[in-house]
Amino acid sequence: MHIETSKIYLVKAILNSNDEEFISRLIDFVNKENSDFWHELTPEEKAEIKEGINQLDQGNRKPFREVFDRISE
């Protein structure tokens, strides 16, 4: 089915439905698909990521192989 045909099919199915549970599940699905993973991280995880970005911005880098070897021990 062509993407545009699929979209029209879905819109028609939604407009013709009076099932509140169905519509609610669709809304939940769409919201979950469009969610940004950043909002699901803990404050500690966000702080670690920001620290890593700051270190990279300052030129503090390590070769991948060096890091991989260290964590593989």
Side-chain angles (χ1 to χ4, degrees), residues 10-53:
L10 286 171
V11 170
K12 284 181 180 179
I14 293 167
L15 291 173
N16 290 328
S17 176
N18 290 321
D19 183 341
E20 290 182 26
E21 167 107 15
F22 171 68
I23 300 299
S24 179
R25 288 194 332 256
L26 281 174
I27 290 169
D28 290 343
F29 174 77
V30 170
N31 286 340
K32 189 176 269 187
E33 287 295 308
N34 291 330
S35 70
D36 185 347
F37 81 94
W38 184 258
H39 302 295
E40 298 174 17
L41 298 175
T42 66
E44 293 80 14
E45 291 168 327
K46 290 177 182 178
E48 288 180 22
I49 291 170
K50 288 178 182 178
E51 180 182 345
I53 291 170

Side-chain angles (χ1 to χ4, degrees), residues 2 6 12 15 23 32 35 41 60 62 65 68 73:
H2 190 270
S6 297
K12 284 181 180 179
L15 291 173
I23 300 299
K32 189 176 269 187
S35 70
L41 298 175
N60 298 329
K62 301 226 182 235
R65 179 50 56 194
F68 183 79
E73 296 174 349

